Amino acid sequence: GRTYQSSYCEDSIDKRRLEFGNCFKTQEEAKHMAEKLRVIKELRDFALENNAGEIDWRDKCIGKYFITYDFYDEEISVASYTFRNFLPFEIYFTSKEIAQKAIKTIGEYRIKKYYFDIEE
């Protein structure tokens, strides 16, 4: 989660950093990404600790809930799918209430700013 400055020399190390996605033009970009990864980890940990068991994607009668950003209303909300997991990096919750509690715990502002990259 720390950032540091280094000269960019276009050597093999710099090229690998760019390929890996671990190199940023500014310290602000690097700090934003570090906080984004923290928020994602916090959401994943919250889901693991609070979900009522494993999510069974083959059971199409049970909703799988996730956090969304509504650009029209400019707000965080919770939506669900029953059997489609087409968002492989999305974090899913076993109930709407658990997803809402995650929003409250992690903070709507942090989720907007870092998870969805929404600047107000």
Side-chain angles (χ1 to χ4, degrees), residues 37-49 51 88-91 93 106:
L37 293 171
R38 272 189 209 95
V39 167
I40 291 168
K41 171 130 179 41
E42 289 174 29
L43 285 168
R44 280 195 180 127
D45 289 348
F46 191 92
L48 288 171
E49 292 169 11
N51 278 348
F89 299 106
E90 190 69 66
I91 299 161
F93 302 90
I106 280 86

Side-chain angles (χ1 to χ4, degrees), residues 2-115:
R2 294 184 185 169
T3 62
Y4 70 93
Q5 183 175 344
S6 177
S7 297
Y8 184 76
C9 305
E10 292 192 42
D11 60 11
S12 62
I13 292 172
D14 288 338
K15 289 178 183 175
R16 284 192 299 253
R17 286 179 181 155
L18 282 172
E19 288 173 5
F20 184 72
N22 197 21
C23 184
F24 304 89
K25 292 179 183 177
T26 67
Q27 186 174 20
E28 290 77 25
E29 287 178 15
K31 285 182 176 182
H32 182 87
M33 182 55 75
E35 189 62 23
K36 181 180 191 78
L37 293 171
R38 272 189 209 95
V39 167
I40 291 168
K41 171 130 179 41
E42 289 174 29
L43 285 168
R44 280 195 180 127
D45 289 348
F46 191 92
L48 288 171
E49 292 169 11
N50 292 278
N51 278 348
E54 292 271 332
I55 292 179
D56 182 1
W57 285 100
R58 298 193 185 284
D59 187 343
K60 60 184 176 181
C61 296
I62 297 175
K64 289 77 174 172
Y65 299 86
F66 58 98
I67 299 169
T68 66
Y69 182 76
D70 182 328
F71 282 90
Y72 183 77
D73 292 330
E74 297 182 341
E75 65 184 14
I76 298 289
S77 62
V78 176
S80 71
Y81 293 114
T82 55
F83 62 93
R84 292 188 181 178
N85 180 2
F86 56 86
L87 303 169
F89 299 106
E90 190 69 66
I91 299 161
Y92 290 92
F93 302 90
T94 54
S95 74
K96 183 176 185 176
E97 293 75 25
I98 294 171
Q100 289 170 330
K101 189 175 176 186
I103 294 168
K104 189 173 184 179
T105 301
I106 280 86
E108 189 169 328
Y109 170 80
R110 290 178 71 222
I111 293 171
K112 275 185 185 178
K113 183 172 182 175
Y114 299 108
Y115 192 61

